[in-house]
């Protein structure tokens, strides 16, 4: 029996569209996306059929990590607009029936945040330094970093302040990311208070939820001891290639005094209590690259966060076996909590490219998306995937990602290229400016613009729209899943719905008892499911 007074909160089966603010839409023509640009494109998101948007950080920031280095959590960077523009965006989204999730960055601030400047000026042992993780160096004169930790972006996780007459042997500060992103010390109650105030600030402005950056990182083992390594392994966490590098997952399993400490959950209990004081099902989703399913599930205990990104599909290779395992493990892991599904975001290689690129990669990308959208829970889409965009090989002189700048590794610029909206040449309607935006777009994107794809019923955009519309009709299918694999065919029964995904190179017969095709990711004729194709049947 349906409990009429107790509908599911909106986020439990929402489709949430990730807006990478610099690259979605440019309102003022300076080549960088902004809040008025997003507002002007909200009708597009409504028509696409998503329920919510998550906007990456738009707060004042020197932009060394493109907004993930925040210098003031309660304002808008003039590059992106003003607080009034944020209010207009939130109000317009709500008028269109869209929810708004903003990004909170609690693990670190920018080195231009007032707190860090005060800490540098105040000197060792001061309450100002105690908001961050300052330590004396090791060795004679303190010239060696306090421990052996590596930055996620390459190189040591410590930088030393310059020597001054007052501090001739200066302290070092911890930065798990770029040297301009000093880590906060969450053992300090002032840090808790500051972030509760920041959450209140944005909740009072009407946001519906928060995406929590590096949610598993806030606490470090109190001793800040050295990390242990298996023989032959280096102290580096290869963030940019997480999508393909299974070795990273294994390497991180060895010893992690800097991630996922038990104390972090107390923070989210505090935050949950605050969120629950607001009407309207306000929520939070954790970005927590934990090493085990169990540790991921801890973030979504009933008194903690509502969701955590489930990166398992994003990490899985293209095969029916591996996807079956992803679905089964996810359901087991999340138990009664609402699962999430993600194929792409601004930190990983776009999934069409991961699946081989070109026609095959696109067919696979569409198929994986359809399979994912058929599952119970909430799905996160990344801007541009609805156009079938691929990873771009950004020329070295146009690279901007601090991970690339620090290591020369692949970096993340290639999935952050501004969205093509219309016309035949860059900036493809991205904004009113002319010429290339902040990361150059490939000259041959004219067939991938929103305008071009809207006009083509076979385009990836038209497919996404149909899929999101069809998704609304299957919510009555229930949450019970039965997963099986037959050769290359992934076969998921969700109540009366059947989700089939053919990961093989040849067509397979659609089982006789599978019902009629509701929607397919590519052309299906008769009872044969082509290679690299998914379908929902009922
Ligand atoms: C995760 C974000 O998604 C990524 O873009 C950022 O560089 C790091 N956290 C550091 O904030």
């Amino acid at each position: 029996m349906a409990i009429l007074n107790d509908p599911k909160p909106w986020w439990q089966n929402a489709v949430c569209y990730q807006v990478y603010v610099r690259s979605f839409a440019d309102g003022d023509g300076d080549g960088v996306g902004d809040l008025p640009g997003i507002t002007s494109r909200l009708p597009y998101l409504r028509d696409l059929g998503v329920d919510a948007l998550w906007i990456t950080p738009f707060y004042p920031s020197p932009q060394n990590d493109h907004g993930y280095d925040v210098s003031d959590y309660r304002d808008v960077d003039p590059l992106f607009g003003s607080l009034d523009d944020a209010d207009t965006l939130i109000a317009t989204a709500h008028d269109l029936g869209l929810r708004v999730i903003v990004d909170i960055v609690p693990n670190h601030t920018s080195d231009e945040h007032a707190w860090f400047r005060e800490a540098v000026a105040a000197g060792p042992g001061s309450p100002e330094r105690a908001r961050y993780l300052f330590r004396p160096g090791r060795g004679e004169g303190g010239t060696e970093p306090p421990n052996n930790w590596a930055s996620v972006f390459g190189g040591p996780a410590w930088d030393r302040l310059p020597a001054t007459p007052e501090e001739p042997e200066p302290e070092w500060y911890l930065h798990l990311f770029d040297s301009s992103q000093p880590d906060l010390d969450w053992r300090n109650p002032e840090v808790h208070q500051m972030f509760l105030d920041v959450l209140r600030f944005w909740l009072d402005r009407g946001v519906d939820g928060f995406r929590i950056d590096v949610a598993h990182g806030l606490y470090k083992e109190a001793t800040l001891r050295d990390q242990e390594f298996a023989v032959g392994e280096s102290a580096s966490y290869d963030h940019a290639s997480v999508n393909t590098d299974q070795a990273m997952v294994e390497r991180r399993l060895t010893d992690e005094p800097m991630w996922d400490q038990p104390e972090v959950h107390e923070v989210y209990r505090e935050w949950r209590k605050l969120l629950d004081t607001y009407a309207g099902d306000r929520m939070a989703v954790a970005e927590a690259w934990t090493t085990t399913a169990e540790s991921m599930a801890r973030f979504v205990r009933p008194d903690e966060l509502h969701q955590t990104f489930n990166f398992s599909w994003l990490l899985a290779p293209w095969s029916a076996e591996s996807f079956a395992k992803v679905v089964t493990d996810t359901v087991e892991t999340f138990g009664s909590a609402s699962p999430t599904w993600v194929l792409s975001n601004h930190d990983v290689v776009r999934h069409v490219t991961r699946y081989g690129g070109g026609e095959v990669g696109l067919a696979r990308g569409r198929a994986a998306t359809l399979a994912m959208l058929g599952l119970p829970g909430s799905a996160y889409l990344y801007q541009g995937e609805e156009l079938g965009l691929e990873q771009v090989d950004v020329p070295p002189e146009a690279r901007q990602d601090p991970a690339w700048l620090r290591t020369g590794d692949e970096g993340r610029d290639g999935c952050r290229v501004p969205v093509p909206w219309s016309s035949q040449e860059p900036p493809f309607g991205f904004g009113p400016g002319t010429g290339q935006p902040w990361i150059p777009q490939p000259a041959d994107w004219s067939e991938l613009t929103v305008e071009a794809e809207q006009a083509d019923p076979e385009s990836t955009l038209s497919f996404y729209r149909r899929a999101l519309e069809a998704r609304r009709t299957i919510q009555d299918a229930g949450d019970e899943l039965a997963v099986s694999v037959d050769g290359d065919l992934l076969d998921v029964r969700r109540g009366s719905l059947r989700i089939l995904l053919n990961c093989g190179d040849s067509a397979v017969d659609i089982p006789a008892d599978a019902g009629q095709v509701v929607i397919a990711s590519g052309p299906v004729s008769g009872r044969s499911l082509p290679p690299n194709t998914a379908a929902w049947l009922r």
Side-chain angles (χ1 to χ4, degrees):
M1 191 180 77
I3 306 168
L4 293 176
N5 293 329
D6 187 24
K8 280 186 175 179
W10 66 271
W11 45 265
Q12 274 195 10
N13 48 20
V15 176
C16 182
Y17 182 98
Q18 181 190 351
V19 170
Y20 190 71
V21 60
R22 296 179 67 93
S23 298
F24 185 62
D26 172 16
D28 60 9
D30 66 355
V32 179
D34 48 38
L35 300 188
I38 300 172
T39 303
S40 73
R41 296 295 186 178
L42 289 173
Y44 166 78
L45 295 183
R46 187 230 11 229
D47 295 347
L48 178 59
V50 302
D51 304 292
L53 59 155
W54 144 35
I55 311 173
T56 56
F58 48 77
Y59 320 109
S61 158
Q63 301 289 318
N64 287 332
D65 190 19
H66 300 130
Y68 286 97
D69 47 329
V70 180
S71 54
D72 179 356
Y73 292 84
R74 280 170 271 207
D75 205 346
V76 172
D77 196 300
L79 181 65
F80 302 130
S82 63
L83 275 176
D84 282 348
D85 292 329
D87 292 342
T88 305
L89 192 166
I90 295 165
T92 312
H94 288 168
D95 285 349
L96 293 170
L98 296 165
R99 308 275 181 158
V100 179
I101 295 175
V102 296
D103 215 315
I104 287 294
V105 188
N107 179 67
H108 44 265
T109 69
S110 158
D111 61 354
E112 292 188 16
H113 191 281
W115 270 12
F116 193 75
R117 291 171 185 255
E118 287 162 20
V120 172
S126 61
E128 288 82 358
R129 287 234 173 146
R131 293 165 177 155
Y132 293 89
L133 291 158
F134 282 91
R135 292 291 182 277
R138 293 199 284 204
E140 193 164 336
T143 55
E144 295 297 317
N147 71 24
N148 69 352
W149 298 359
S151 154
V152 170
F153 293 160
W158 295 89
D159 259 50
R160 197 176 195 192
L161 296 179
T164 61
E166 298 78 46
E167 202 181 348
E169 285 188 12
E171 290 190 315
W172 297 69
Y173 64 90
L174 179 73
H175 57 86
L176 291 178
F177 294 87
D178 189 54
S179 54
S180 62
Q181 294 166 297
D183 280 52
L184 289 160
D185 186 354
W186 273 85
R187 295 179 194 277
N188 183 336
E190 265 192 273
V191 175
H192 289 245
Q193 202 47 56
M194 196 263 263
F195 277 94
L196 287 170
D197 290 346
V198 168
L199 296 182
R200 268 191 219 101
F201 179 87
W202 290 104
L203 287 166
D204 290 343
R205 296 196 103 86
V207 304
D208 301 285
F210 299 100
R211 178 262 187 192
I212 305 166
D213 189 61
V214 200
H216 59 313
L218 313 194
Y219 278 81
K220 287 73 180 161
E221 230 182 83
T223 58
L224 300 184
R225 67 172 174 82
D226 275 349
Q227 180 175 25
E228 287 170 23
F229 291 96
V231 178
E233 287 174 348
S234 69
S236 107
Y237 159 175
D238 189 353
H239 192 274
S241 57
V242 285
N243 53 309
T244 51
D245 188 358
Q246 282 297 332
M248 179 210 71
V249 177
E250 280 139 37
R251 188 160 64 227
R252 294 181 63 213
L253 274 173
T254 55
D255 181 43
E256 297 201 302
M258 69 290 280
W259 303 118
D260 204 14
Q261 301 299 306
E263 296 93 326
V264 78
H265 296 284
E266 228 14 81
V267 176
Y268 302 129
R269 294 198 178 97
E270 265 171 29
W271 290 15
R272 179 61 178 259
K273 281 195 197 111
L274 174 68
L275 289 166
D276 285 349
T277 64
Y278 282 79
D281 290 325
R282 314 289 180 108
M283 55 78 76
V285 52
E287 186 224 17
W289 289 90
T290 59
T291 48
T292 64
E294 294 71 40
S295 54
M296 177 169 73
R298 278 186 219 123
F299 288 82
V300 287
R301 287 178 287 195
D303 59 346
E304 293 194 42
L305 302 175
H306 306 77
Q307 295 183 336
T308 181
F309 291 129
N310 165 26
F311 293 120
S312 57
W313 201 315
L314 178 155
L315 292 164
W318 175 261
S319 83
E321 279 295 338
S322 78
F323 294 159
K325 184 165 162 39
V326 165
V327 177
T328 313
D329 289 356
T330 300
V331 171
E332 267 173 27
T333 304
F334 280 86
S336 59
S338 168
T340 61
W341 307 98
V342 190
L343 287 172
S344 277
N345 64 34
H346 66 294
D347 290 330
V348 301
V349 173
R350 284 190 177 275
H351 61 273
V352 169
T353 306
R354 290 203 315 265
Y355 293 149
E359 263 178 48
V360 167
L362 183 59
R364 289 177 172 180
R366 285 166 61 146
T369 301
L370 189 66
M372 176 185 91
L373 288 174
L375 296 169
S378 159
Y380 282 81
L381 307 180
Y382 176 49
Q383 67 183 34
E385 68 169 78
E386 78 277 21
L387 304 174
L389 296 189
E390 286 213 40
Q391 192 76 0
V392 175
D393 189 11
V394 178
E397 63 281 6
R399 295 282 186 158
Q400 321 233 2
D401 179 6
W404 187 86
L405 299 173
R406 284 178 73 96
T407 62
D409 284 350
E410 181 176 18
R412 302 165 293 177
D413 297 300
C415 64
R416 299 174 174 183
V417 178
V419 168
W421 291 93
S422 57
S423 89
Q424 301 298 311
E425 56 189 35
F428 293 114
F430 173 61
T434 50
Q436 286 287 10
W438 73 286
I439 299 182
Q441 297 162 316
D444 62 358
W445 264 10
S446 60
E447 282 173 22
L448 294 172
T449 64
V450 169
E451 183 183 52
E453 295 206 21
Q454 259 165 357
D456 174 6
E458 300 309 317
S459 70
T460 302
L461 178 57
S462 300
F463 159 68
Y464 266 70
R465 283 197 177 154
R466 281 196 301 276
L468 293 175
E469 201 181 327
R471 185 180 151 96
R472 294 186 191 279
T473 69
I474 58 160
Q475 293 308 330
D476 59 347
D479 294 348
E480 288 297 313
L481 295 183
V483 182
S484 60
V485 175
D486 182 6
D488 288 319
L489 184 68
L490 171 70
D491 184 345
V492 180
R493 289 167 201 254
R494 174 182 174 189
S496 57
L497 182 76
R498 195 91 169 248
I499 304 164
L500 301 177
L501 169 57
N502 179 5
C503 294
D505 294 330
S506 38
V508 295
D509 290 338
I510 294 175
D513 62 350
Q516 298 306 311
V517 173
V518 176
I519 179 171
S521 63
V524 172
S525 59
R527 301 296 290 178
S528 165
L529 189 64
N532 303 316
T533 304
W536 297 351
L537 301 103
R538 236 179 171 177

